[in-house]
Amino acid sequence: MIIARSDQLHEFYRLYHKNVHLVIWEAPQDCIYNSTCVYADFGDHGSLATTPVPPPNATHLNLPIWKLFHPSWWNGPVEPLRGPFTLSPEPYEIWPRGFDYAKENFYLGYSVEPSCMNTPYVPHGERPSQAYIFGKYLGYFMLKDYILWDEKGGMEGSMKDDFYLNLSQKENITFLAGQFSLFQAPGNYTDPPRGIVQHERLPRPEFQKMIANSRVMIGLGHPLLSPTPYEALCLGIPFINPVRRWDKNDLKNKMAWTGQHDGLIYQGLDEPYVYHVELGDREGLRAALRKAMSTPIESLNLGVLVCAFARGGGKGPSWDFGKAPLLPHILLANGVTRPDNNIVDNYKQNDDKHQSSASSSSVQPVPDTPSDAWRTGLTLEEFNDMFERRLAECNTGSPSCLRNGDKLILLDWPHFAKVLRGDIQGENIWCGSIMDAMHKLGYSMLITTPKSNFGDWFRKYHKNVQIIIWERPGECVYDPQCVYADVASPVPTPNATHLNLPIWKIFHAAWWNLAVEPLGGPFTLSPEPYNIWPASQSGGRDNYYLGYTVEPTCLKTPLIPFVQRPRQAYILGKYLGYFKEERYPLTDPVGGAAAQYADDFYLKFSEEEDVTFLAGQFDLFQAGNYTQPPPGITQHPRLPRTEFQTMMSKSRVLVGIGNPILSPTPYEALCLGIPFINPIVGWDRNDPENKNSWEGQHGALIHGGVDEPQVYHVKVGDRDGFRAALKKAVDTPIDR
C-alpha cells in the first residue's frame, strides 16, 4: 500500500503502474473527467480484455477507469462511477427498501477488535454505576434528532433539562462524557445539561479503558453510524440507540425505523445489547437506562466483517462473487457464533434462562498473537489437558483466565484429532483452521473422539459447553436419553440416565455441498459458501458457511519470482486411479483406461515446450493393474505439508486431473502465485459457456468467479484447450 496525496498520485502511478491493482480515491472524478488521466477504452465488445492498456507517457497517465474506487462512509452511491465502484463500511444492501440507497455499493467492512480486544474486560459487578454519554460536540444536544429534544422549549428547554441530574440523584447513576467541543454550538451555551460530568478528551486506548468501566452507553442522536457502539458492545456494554418510527400505524415495524445507528437496527440487534428508544420518549429512555444498568451482557463481537476482494460476500466491477449470507455473525450472550435463524432464536431464548457461564474476577483479554502451543506435536491427551487447565483457570476465578476461556467447544469429528498428527486432507486443513480461529478468540476446545468419552466430557463441563461439532449428530438427536429438545421447558442438568444435551447446540460438519439430516442446513457447517452456487448444484445452500484459510502455512513459504522458477507444471493428485476416471481432462472414451495410462501427451508437451511435469508419489489405490502414471510425469516422495508447499512454490502451474474435488491445494497454489487448471466435467451441451451449468473439479473457483490468468477452466476431453491452457499458464505470471 502507498498513501499518496492528490499531487503525488500521478508520480506514484507512473512509477508503479504495473503493480497497481486499484486506487482508492476521494475525488476520482478529478481523473475520470480528465482525458489525459483516465483510460476508458473497453474495445468494440465492452470487454476489458480486448484492448491493451497503454503505459503512462509524458502527456497521458492512462489510469484504467476500472481500477478507480471511491470510499464513502454514507449510505449512497457516489458519482460518476456509482455503486459497484463505491466502497462502503456497512452492508447497505440489507437495509430496507427506501433506505437502501447504496445497495449496489461494494461492501468492504471493518473491525474494532484489534484495539477492543486489548482492553481488559471489566466484569459487570465490578463496574461503578456509570452511564457513558456518547458525543463529541455540544451542539448535539440542540438538534431536533437529540433523544430528549424539547419540542416546546427548543434548544433552551433541551439544555436546561434536569433529566440527567434527577436520575443521577434518584438512581445513584454517574453520567460521564468526554469534554464536549463547542464547535458550531449555537447560542452562548458552554456546558451540557446538568448532571453530566465531563472528562478530558483521551486517545483511543485510554478512551476504551474509560468506557469499559461503564454499564451502558447512551446515544444522543449523533454522530451517525459511528464505530463507537461496536466498541462498546465488544467491551460488554449495551447501547441506547435513538430512533424515529415513521410508520405510526405499526410502531414495531423496524423496516420503517431510522436512528443514530441504522446498522444496529437492520442487523437485528435488540435488548439486552441494543435498546432502541423513540426520540422524545423520556419514560422509554428512563426505563431503558434502568434495565441496561442492571442487566449484564457479555462482549459481543459482530461484523461489520471485513470482506476480501478474493473470496467474500460482495460485488466488484470486474468480478462477482455472489452474496455470501449477511447473517450477521453474532456472538450470543453465551458466546456461540450462529446463523441468524428463527429456530435457533427460539431454542436460545429457553437456554439463556438456565445457562450460568463461569466468570472470573479479572478476565484477561486474548493476546494479539496467542500461543501456538496446541500445534506443537501434542498428543490427543496433551491437547485436552492443556485446554482443561484453561477451563480450570476460568472456573476457579484465576486472574490468568483469558476472555472466552470459560466457553467450551466440543469437537467430535475424527478429522479434528487427525490435525494433531499432521494429516493434510482437505477436512483436516479445514478443521485446523477452525481450531486456530477458536484458539485466537480465546475459546477452550476438547476433542471428544472416541465417542465413549463424550458423555463424560459433557457431564463434567455442561455449564461451559457452547456448541458441539459432531460427525454423526443423529446418534444423539434420535436418542431421548442423549438429546433435550423441549423448547418450552428449562434444560435439566445431566444425570445418571439422561445426558440432556440441548439440541440447538449440536452442529454437523460436512465438507460436501449438501445439508445433513436430521437437523438440516442451518445446523450443517460448510467450508464453502454453497449459497452462491447455482440452485441445481446447491444442496447445501442453507448451510452455515464456516470458511477456512490456508495463509498460516502458505505465507511462511517464500514466494519465488516467476522468472526464477523452472518451467515446471505440478500435477495435483494423490491416487493413481484418477488417471482412469471419466473426469480426467484427457479422457479417452474409445480407448478407455489403457489408452489414458499410455497417453504420451505429457511426454510430447515436455519435449516441445521444455516443461517438466512433477507429481508426488501416487498411491496405487483403485488403479487396478496400473503402477505408473502416463509417460512424461516425474514422481517425488510424498512430503509433509510445509515441504510440499516449498516444492510446489517452484512450479509455474498446478494441473488438476479431475480429482480430488474441492481440495484446498488450488487455494494454496494461488496464494503462492501459481495458477490452476480446473477441469470442467459437466456442462450444458446447448449452451457450453453458461457457467451456471458447469460442474468441475473445484466448483468454488467456478462459481466464485475466478478466471484467467488465475484459473484456467478446461472442459474434459478438450486436448487442444488443455494444451493451450498449459502453455499460457507456464508463460503468464500472476501475483500471490
Side-chain angles (χ1 to χ4, degrees):
M1 297 175 285
I2 291 180
I3 299 176
R5 299 191 309 267
S6 295
D7 60 326
Q8 298 174 311
L9 194 142
H10 287 225
E11 175 188 351
F12 279 123
Y13 185 74
R14 290 181 194 279
L15 281 172
Y16 300 114
H17 65 95
K18 291 183 179 179
N19 306 94
V20 171
H21 285 256
L22 69 152
V23 182
I24 300 177
W25 204 338
E26 181 186 17
Q29 65 273 15
D30 292 349
C31 183
I32 290 170
Y33 294 132
N34 182 353
S35 59
T36 65
C37 177
V38 75
Y39 184 84
D41 185 353
F42 288 80
D44 295 335
H45 306 289
S47 169
L48 304 183
T50 57
T51 307
V53 178
N57 57 46
T59 59
H60 289 71
L61 195 62
N62 290 324
L63 201 164
I65 194 171
W66 52 89
K67 292 189 177 184
L68 293 172
F69 289 80
H70 186 290
S72 176
W73 188 261
W74 306 112
N75 180 10
V78 180
E79 299 291 350
L81 293 175
R82 298 187 63 81
F85 293 86
T86 303
L87 307 178
S88 294
E90 296 277 353
Y92 292 124
E93 65 184 84
I94 71 171
W95 292 27
R97 184 173 298 178
F99 298 114
D100 58 346
Y101 312 110
K103 62 186 177 184
E104 299 297 333
N105 288 11
F106 189 94
Y107 168 38
L108 186 65
Y110 66 98
S111 173
V112 298
E113 287 191 2
S115 57
C116 162
M117 287 300 193
N118 287 331
T119 304
Y121 176 81
V122 181
H124 185 268
E126 297 180 12
R127 302 179 195 177
S129 183
Q130 174 177 297
Y132 199 92
I133 306 287
F134 169 44
K136 180 178 180 181
Y137 298 113
L138 189 67
Y140 291 159
F141 292 97
M142 292 171 265
L143 297 174
K144 290 187 177 181
D145 288 335
Y146 170 45
I147 193 169
L148 292 177
W149 172 252
D150 188 330
E151 287 286 352
K152 294 182 179 179
M155 286 190 292
E156 185 175 0
S158 296
M159 294 304 289
K160 292 184 176 180
D161 191 349
D162 282 341
F163 176 90
Y164 304 101
L165 181 63
N166 293 337
L167 197 62
S168 175
Q169 293 171 346
K170 291 178 182 178
E171 306 283 344
N172 192 30
I173 298 173
T174 300
F175 290 96
L176 191 65
Q179 184 72 41
F180 290 106
S181 169
L182 303 184
F183 179 69
Q184 291 186 337
N188 298 317
Y189 300 104
T190 58
D191 293 304
R194 292 190 298 174
I196 298 175
V197 179
Q198 299 179 80
H199 64 79
E200 63 180 354
R201 301 201 71 82
L202 301 168
R204 188 178 182 193
E206 284 75 15
F207 167 71
Q208 287 186 328
K209 291 177 184 176
M210 176 74 75
I211 65 172
N213 285 283
S214 302
R215 294 192 174 198
V216 62
M217 175 173 283
I218 304 171
L220 298 175
H222 286 271
L224 304 179
L225 288 177
S226 168
T228 304
Y230 292 131
E231 295 178 303
L233 292 168
C234 183
L235 292 167
I237 302 164
F239 178 63
I240 293 179
N241 187 34
V243 301
R244 189 185 301 276
R245 295 174 171 88
W246 294 101
D247 186 349
K248 301 305 180 184
N249 297 318
D250 185 3
L251 296 179
K252 294 184 179 180
N253 176 16
K254 292 184 181 179
M255 297 297 101
W257 291 8
T258 55
Q260 178 170 348
H261 206 297
D262 288 347
L264 298 175
I265 299 173
Y266 305 134
Q267 290 187 65
L269 287 179
D270 289 306
E271 299 181 20
Y273 305 104
V274 179
Y275 296 79
H276 303 289
V277 176
E278 177 82 12
L279 295 179
D281 184 359
R282 299 173 70 86
E283 291 306 315
L285 178 58
R286 184 179 286 111
L289 270 168
R290 285 175 176 155
K291 192 171 182 180
M293 293 288 291
S294 61
T295 306
I297 66 170
E298 302 233 4
S299 62
L300 185 68
N301 304 321
L302 66 158
V304 189
L305 297 173
V306 176
C307 293
F309 281 102
R311 300 182 66 213
K315 293 181 177 179
S318 55
W319 50 84
D320 186 348
F321 296 99
K323 297 180 180 179
L326 293 163
L327 292 174
H329 294 269
I330 296 175
L331 279 174
L332 295 174
N334 66 356
V336 184
T337 305
R338 51 84 167 162
D340 190 13
N341 180 276
N342 290 334
I343 190 169
V344 187
D345 288 338
N346 293 335
Y347 287 149
K348 187 66 188 63
Q349 289 170 7
N350 176 58
D351 191 41
D352 279 344
K353 300 174 185 175
H354 313 288
Q355 277 291 330
S356 57
S357 293
S359 62
S360 68
S361 59
S362 179
V363 181
Q364 299 299 314
V366 182
D368 284 342
T369 308
S371 167
D372 227 12
W374 78 268
R375 277 194 177 272
T376 56
L378 298 181
T379 65
L380 178 60
E381 292 74 19
E382 291 168 337
F383 175 89
N384 284 343
D385 285 346
M386 183 177 73
F387 284 102
E388 279 203 281
R389 289 194 296 273
R390 176 183 286 186
L391 281 167
E393 289 174 347
C394 295
N395 288 345
T396 58
S398 167
S400 59
C401 172
L402 293 176
R403 182 185 299 174
N404 297 326
D406 63 330
K407 299 177 178 67
L408 176 61
I409 314 298
L410 292 182
L411 306 174
D412 199 278
W413 193 24
H415 289 294
F416 286 108
K418 291 177 181 178
V419 172
L420 299 181
R421 71 185 194 194
D423 285 17
I424 56 172
Q425 283 181 253
E427 291 91 334
N428 308 136
I429 291 172
W430 180 33
C431 288
S433 188
I434 293 172
M435 294 161 78
D436 270 332
M438 297 295 185
H439 181 52
K440 288 176 181 176
L441 289 171
Y443 291 98
S444 296
M445 301 174 281
L446 292 174
I447 297 176
T448 60
T449 305
K451 288 188 175 60
S452 58
N453 297 332
F454 180 83
D456 295 336
W457 287 120
F458 185 75
R459 284 186 169 88
K460 186 174 182 180
Y461 294 114
H462 64 93
K463 290 184 178 180
N464 302 93
V465 171
Q466 310 300 302
I467 59 171
I468 302 100
I469 301 178
W470 213 331
E471 181 187 17
R472 294 186 178 89
E475 294 179 359
C476 183
V477 171
Y478 293 130
D479 182 356
Q481 292 185 312
C482 178
V483 75
Y484 187 83
D486 186 351
V487 182
S489 302
V491 180
T493 57
N495 56 48
T497 59
H498 287 73
L499 203 57
N500 292 322
L501 199 164
I503 194 171
W504 51 92
K505 292 189 176 184
I506 300 173
F507 288 79
H508 185 290
W511 183 260
W512 307 111
N513 185 0
L514 48 83
V516 180
E517 297 297 338
L519 295 176
F523 293 87
T524 302
L525 307 179
S526 293
E528 298 283 356
Y530 294 126
N531 66 302
I532 71 172
W533 292 30
S536 61
Q537 301 177 38
S538 188
R541 61 184 172 275
D542 294 323
N543 291 6
Y544 188 92
Y545 170 38
L546 186 64
Y548 67 98
T549 178
V550 297
E551 286 191 358
T553 54
C554 161
L555 293 182
K556 293 177 182 177
T557 304
L559 182 66
I560 300 175
F562 183 82
V563 295
Q564 295 179 17
R565 301 180 198 177
R567 292 178 63 79
Q568 175 176 296
Y570 200 94
I571 305 288
L572 168 62
K574 180 179 180 181
Y575 298 116
L576 191 64
Y578 292 159
F579 289 100
K580 67 181 178 66
E581 300 288 338
E582 292 182 355
R583 300 171 57 89
Y584 175 50
L586 296 177
T587 183
D588 187 333
V590 178
Q596 289 169 204
Y597 280 104
D599 191 346
D600 62 1
F601 175 91
Y602 303 99
L603 184 62
K604 287 184 176 179
F605 190 93
S606 177
E607 294 170 348
E608 293 169 1
E609 302 292 339
D610 189 28
V611 171
T612 300
F613 289 95
L614 191 65
Q617 186 71 43
F618 289 107
D619 189 307
L620 301 185
F621 178 70
Q622 292 186 340
N625 296 323
Y626 301 102
T627 59
Q628 297 295 326
I633 298 175
T634 303
Q635 300 178 78
H636 66 77
R638 302 201 70 82
L639 301 169
R641 186 180 181 194
T642 52
E643 294 175 31
F644 164 73
Q645 286 186 332
T646 301
M647 174 75 75
M648 186 171 64
S649 69
K650 299 173 184 177
S651 301
R652 295 195 174 195
V653 61
L654 179 69
V655 182
I657 55 175
N659 283 300
I661 299 171
L662 286 177
S663 167
T665 305
Y667 294 136
E668 294 177 304
L670 292 168
C671 182
L672 292 167
I674 302 167
F676 175 60
I677 294 180
N678 187 31
I680 304 302
V681 302
W683 59 92
D684 183 346
R685 305 295 176 178
N686 296 319
D687 187 6
E689 298 310 308
N690 175 14
K691 289 187 178 180
N692 284 335
S693 72
W694 287 8
E695 296 181 39
Q697 178 169 345
H698 208 295
L701 294 175
I702 299 171
H703 307 305
V706 188
D707 291 306
E708 296 183 24
Q710 283 80 24
V711 178
Y712 296 81
H713 304 290
V714 178
K715 296 180 180 66
V716 165
D718 182 2
R719 295 176 71 88
D720 290 338
F722 191 57
R723 185 190 313 276
L726 270 170
K727 191 175 187 312
K728 192 171 181 181
V730 167
D731 292 330
T732 306
I734 66 169
D735 289 328
R736 166 172 261 175

